[in-house]
């Protein structure tokens, strides 16, 4: 048996009531109250996909930014910490910078000669002896040895008094001193060592230069600069040479270090290396 339903409302009531009466067939009842179907749209189908894509983009962006910050932080910490063997006194005085090398080796095919192409603002450190070149080296090496306190000296693995003072220098100053000694030996010969008031051993000059060459060799191998240098062939036929194209290198900033070194020496004292050494 089936029933018919009619909608009615009692007077004064806000609720509608169904009056159910007998219907002739169940089909009639179903036709009047069809089954509700769920609403599905293209938007609702695509919504979960778009939400997933947006979330993935946000996660990837956050990961990329975090990596960028981590690299910058490690870079900054590396500048501050330096190496475990760095002298604590000077650690952190030279930030990392990128610098393109100059003094490029060039050829003149017409004259069949070679020459050096210097940077326009670079001091000249090589060539025939001149007051300008000597002054450039003096500016690099002035106040070579720092006067340090007894407390600072005790942190080093050797702390002898030199004429009543504790003296020390960072390795970079020692190596520059050695390079200058080699430079002078090329032009001046062994007589440049006569500055020393003490009588020197007969083999002093050669032994000093050999020591300096070894010093610089070890320094170069220790630094182990891995910057790639493209090679090209220069010179006319029959006089071909391989030449490296100068590149940008990652360096400790010499200028900031030299500024700190000068101020420290002026404040607590320093001693220049013996003239000509």
């Amino acid at each position: 048996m089936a029933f018919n339903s009619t909608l009615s409302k009692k007077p004064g009531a806000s609720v509608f009531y169904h009056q159910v009466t007998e219907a002739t067939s169940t089909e009639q009842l179903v036709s009047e109250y069809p089954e509700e179907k769920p609403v599905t749209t293209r938007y609702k189908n695509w919504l979960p996909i778009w939400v997933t894509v947006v979330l993935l983009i946000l996660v990837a962006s956050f990961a990329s930014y975090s990596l960028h910050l981590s690299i910058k932080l490690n870079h900054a910490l590396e500048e501050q910490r330096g190496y475990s063997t760095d002298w604590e006194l000077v650690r952190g005085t030279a930030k990392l910078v990128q610098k393109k090398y100059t003094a490029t080796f060039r050829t003149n095919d017409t004259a069949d000669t070679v020459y050096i192409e210097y940077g326009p603002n670079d001091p000249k450190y090589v060539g025939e002896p001149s007051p300008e070149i000597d002054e450039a080296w003096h500016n690099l090496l002035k106040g070579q040895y720092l006067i340090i306190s007894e407390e600072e000296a005790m942190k080093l693995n050797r702390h002898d008094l030199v004429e009543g003072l504790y003296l020390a220098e960072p390795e970079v100053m020692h190596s520059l001193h050695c390079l200058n000694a080699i430079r002078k030996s090329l032009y001046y010969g062994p007589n440049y060592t006569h500055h020393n008031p003490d009588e020197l051993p007969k083999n002093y000059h050669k032994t000093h230069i050999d020591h300096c060459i070894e010093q610089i060799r070890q320094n170069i191998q220790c630094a182990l600069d891995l910057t790639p240098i493209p090679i090209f062939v220069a010179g006319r036929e029959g006089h071909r040479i391989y030449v490296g194209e100068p590149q940008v290198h990652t360096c400790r900033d010499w200028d900031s270090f030299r500024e700190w070194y000068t101020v420290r020496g002026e404040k607590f004292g320093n001693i220049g290396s013996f003239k000509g050494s």
Side-chain angles (χ1 to χ4, degrees):
M1 178 181 289
F3 297 90
N4 283 330
S5 175
T6 59
L7 194 63
S8 63
K9 181 180 179 184
K10 292 183 178 181
S14 59
V15 180
F16 285 91
Y17 296 89
H18 286 285
Q19 292 181 351
V20 181
T21 60
E22 186 176 346
T24 58
S25 66
T26 58
E27 289 78 4
Q28 183 180 355
L29 184 61
V30 172
S31 65
E32 291 182 4
Y33 293 95
E35 180 182 357
E36 292 187 0
K37 296 182 180 180
V39 179
T40 58
T41 64
R42 181 176 302 177
Y43 174 78
K44 286 189 175 182
N45 288 337
W46 280 96
L47 183 60
I49 298 177
W50 280 109
V51 170
T52 302
V53 170
V54 170
L55 287 175
L56 287 175
I57 292 175
L58 289 174
V59 170
S61 300
F62 178 76
S64 176
Y65 183 67
S66 298
L67 179 61
H68 174 70
L69 286 180
S70 176
I71 292 173
K72 288 188 68 175
L73 179 60
N74 288 336
H75 191 76
L77 289 175
E78 183 179 316
E79 289 183 2
Q80 293 178 3
R81 288 196 308 263
Y83 300 109
S84 61
T85 53
D86 283 348
W87 190 7
E88 182 181 349
L89 185 65
V90 298
R91 184 178 295 154
T93 60
K95 61 183 180 180
L96 295 180
V97 296
Q98 291 191 333
K99 185 177 180 63
K100 186 173 183 179
Y101 283 11
T102 57
T104 310
F105 198 81
R106 299 300 188 196
T107 62
N108 185 328
D109 296 345
T110 303
D112 194 23
T113 57
V114 295
Y115 63 96
I116 296 176
E117 183 179 83
Y118 296 99
N121 301 316
D122 291 345
K124 193 174 180 182
Y125 296 103
V126 295
E128 292 295 327
S130 70
E132 291 75 21
I133 293 177
D134 287 341
E135 180 65 18
W137 280 96
H138 170 73
N139 289 335
L140 291 179
L141 286 165
K142 60 185 176 182
Q144 179 179 343
Y145 308 122
L146 292 180
I147 298 175
I148 60 176
S149 67
E150 181 177 5
E151 180 182 356
E152 291 167 337
M154 293 304 116
K155 295 179 180 180
L156 306 179
N157 64 0
R158 183 164 180 169
H159 30 77
D160 298 355
L161 284 169
V162 180
E163 298 182 358
L165 300 172
Y166 292 109
L167 302 177
E169 64 178 339
E171 180 57 54
V172 61
M173 302 301 283
H174 179 200
S175 293
L176 283 173
H177 156 85
C178 268
L179 187 58
N180 192 35
I182 295 172
R183 174 189 74 89
K184 290 188 172 184
S185 72
L186 291 174
Y187 294 103
Y188 297 168
N191 290 334
Y192 86 94
T193 60
H194 288 177
H195 66 274
N196 199 315
D198 298 324
E199 185 176 349
L200 297 172
K202 293 180 180 179
N203 64 339
Y204 173 84
H205 172 72
K206 183 180 183 304
T207 303
H208 183 211
I209 297 302
D210 286 346
H211 154 77
C212 282
I213 292 172
E214 272 297 290
Q215 177 71 22
I216 294 170
R217 177 193 64 79
Q218 292 177 77
N219 244 317
I220 293 171
Q221 289 181 250
C222 180
L224 199 66
D225 191 341
L226 300 179
T227 305
I229 307 299
I231 303 299
F232 63 94
V233 177
R236 64 180 180 81
E237 192 66 35
H239 294 83
R240 299 293 189 186
I241 56 175
Y242 291 159
V243 180
E245 183 65 23
Q247 300 296 307
V248 174
H249 298 250
T250 299
C251 314
R252 281 174 161 170
D253 184 17
W254 166 262
D255 292 335
S256 62
F257 162 78
R258 181 64 255 192
E259 181 180 359
W260 177 90
Y261 207 74
T262 299
V263 172
R264 160 73 196 208
E266 291 173 349
K267 186 175 182 180
F268 296 101
N270 59 34
I271 295 178
S273 60
F274 293 113
K275 183 179 179 182
S277 63

